[in-house]
Amino acid sequence: MESATLHTVAEFPAHSFLENLAVRGDNSILVTSLNHRQLWLIPASGAPAEPILLHTYDRLVSAVVETEPDVFHVAVTDGYTTHESYLSRVDLRGWTPGAAPGIETVLTFDSRVRALNGGCLIAPGVLLLADCFGGFVWRVDLSATGGPATADVWLAHPSMEHDPLSTVKPPPQPGINGVRYAERTHYLYYTSTAQRLFMRVPVDPATHDPAGAPEHVGGGTMADDFCIDEDAGLAYVTTHRQNTLDRVLLDGPPDQPRDIVLGDPLDLRLLGPSSIAWGRGPGEYGRVAYLITDGGTTALPPDGRARGAKVLRMELTR
């Protein structure tokens, strides 16, 4: 049997919606705060760490993806009103606390964009971003020199569509949300929150285009983001509104039973888990991961009181 323990790494004030994270090579962590439009750095530390504000944007901030060592691309999006969205490049090579990081806008998305959400790298210079209200995935080809990038629709599919009439507040509920690439098997995995789906689509390793139709892997929860353990054939999926971390078999039947790792019974540290990423230290892949939460900002716990949003360290034992 597998068990998991949680430790708090950093805490943010109540009503902070921590949306996405990227773990750096030294195990410090970049975290996006969606509603406060901020990018934060959590120093690597064995004790609770004090977050460092790196930048405040002018729109909601969703995905953050490391695209080369210590260079990150951040999705900035106005998903609920104008839908204007752009991609920000953040260069932390040689950065030291107190200094301003190198930040530039490398792409402004065209009028097809609705709301950028999760993202992942599928090849050097090739970034995929979920458009959770557009119902499709963007492919972004990055410049090798850090200059302007280009983007086009990579794949649209009914499983990626959102629910504009959802009775869950606040509507609309997103469609495609988290995206992660399995490098060994060449599948892009994705969640579709409103449709309660966990899906995958094969990727051509030469062209990086879709190589077949999406397949149903699992579902039944309002899944958000996730991380993949290719060694064990598992995904660890955050269920944002349901306050759990679930384990899903990558090659299991679509009707596989729900397998909850954390959050049953309710753990107040794990209110509104939104994303998860493996640690970068030796032996940490598949064993140590970092989770972020919104403290119940999106869906209040039974007592009706939001807590501080958290960055958590999870350790798995088998």
Side-chain angles (χ1 to χ4, degrees):
M1 289 292 292
E2 184 178 68
S3 61
T5 57
L6 283 180
H7 305 278
T8 299
V9 173
E11 189 162 356
F12 288 75
H15 305 295
S16 298
F17 186 158
L18 304 185
E19 164 65 16
N20 212 296
L21 78 163
V23 181
R24 299 172 73 203
D26 65 357
N27 261 359
S28 61
I29 308 166
L30 290 187
V31 175
T32 60
S33 179
L34 180 79
N35 57 341
H36 292 156
R37 307 178 176 191
Q38 292 169 331
L39 178 67
W40 292 83
L41 182 135
I42 314 300
S45 172
E50 188 67 30
I52 299 169
L53 179 62
L54 292 181
H55 191 69
T56 300
Y57 289 94
D58 59 356
R59 292 176 178 83
L60 304 178
V61 187
S62 54
V64 53
V65 181
E66 187 172 30
T67 49
E68 57 183 289
D70 255 354
V71 175
F72 300 82
H73 282 75
V74 176
V76 185
T77 189
D78 191 345
Y80 294 101
T81 53
T82 68
H83 305 292
E84 294 174 354
S85 304
Y86 61 90
L87 192 64
S88 172
R89 182 178 185 270
V90 180
D91 190 343
L92 293 183
R93 292 174 296 185
W95 176 85
T96 56
I103 295 179
E104 61 176 326
T105 297
V106 295
L107 174 65
T108 298
F109 287 83
D110 65 35
S111 61
R112 293 172 292 178
V113 73
R114 308 321 293 160
L116 302 177
N117 206 308
C120 67
L121 201 68
I122 64 167
V126 182
L127 176 67
L128 296 185
L129 289 169
D131 195 314
C132 64
F133 292 160
F136 58 85
V137 178
W138 289 95
R139 171 175 169 159
V140 178
D141 287 275
L142 304 170
S143 166
T145 60
T150 60
D152 205 349
V153 173
W154 185 77
L155 179 66
H157 190 264
S159 66
M160 301 177 181
E161 294 174 1
H162 73 297
D163 181 4
L165 302 177
S166 173
T167 58
V168 178
K169 306 297 182 181
Q173 283 301 294
I176 184 169
N177 196 328
V179 291
R180 290 285 186 268
Y181 184 57
E183 296 180 358
R184 299 179 203 169
T185 55
H186 308 297
Y187 280 105
L188 179 80
Y189 287 83
Y190 63 90
T191 59
S192 188
T193 304
Q195 299 190 52
R196 299 179 179 238
L197 295 173
F198 187 64
M199 305 283 293
R200 71 181 182 186
V201 59
V203 178
D204 186 315
T207 64
H208 317 304
D209 294 328
E215 305 168 357
H216 186 190
V217 177
T221 65
M222 297 190 75
D224 194 334
D225 218 331
F226 58 98
C227 64
I228 290 174
D229 180 354
E230 289 198 80
D231 292 339
L234 297 169
Y236 291 85
V237 183
T238 60
T239 68
H240 187 196
R241 287 177 169 270
Q242 295 166 294
N243 306 314
T244 67
L245 180 73
D246 291 12
R247 181 172 36 219
V248 177
L249 295 171
L250 296 180
D251 289 308
D255 61 349
Q256 59 183 284
R258 187 173 180 186
D259 184 5
I260 299 175
V261 179
L262 291 166
D264 184 20
L266 179 68
D267 186 332
L268 293 177
R269 295 171 298 177
L270 198 65
L271 291 177
S274 56
S275 194
I276 179 171
W278 294 119
R280 299 279 297 275
E284 291 189 341
Y285 178 83
R287 189 181 67 84
V288 175
Y290 293 92
L291 296 97
I292 54 174
T293 77
D294 74 1
T297 296
T298 303
L300 289 171
D303 65 6
R305 183 168 65 88
R307 270 68 172 182
K310 290 180 171 57
V311 180
L312 302 165
R313 176 184 168 97
M314 178 185 74
E315 297 183 10
L316 295 169
T317 56
R318 295 187 173 99

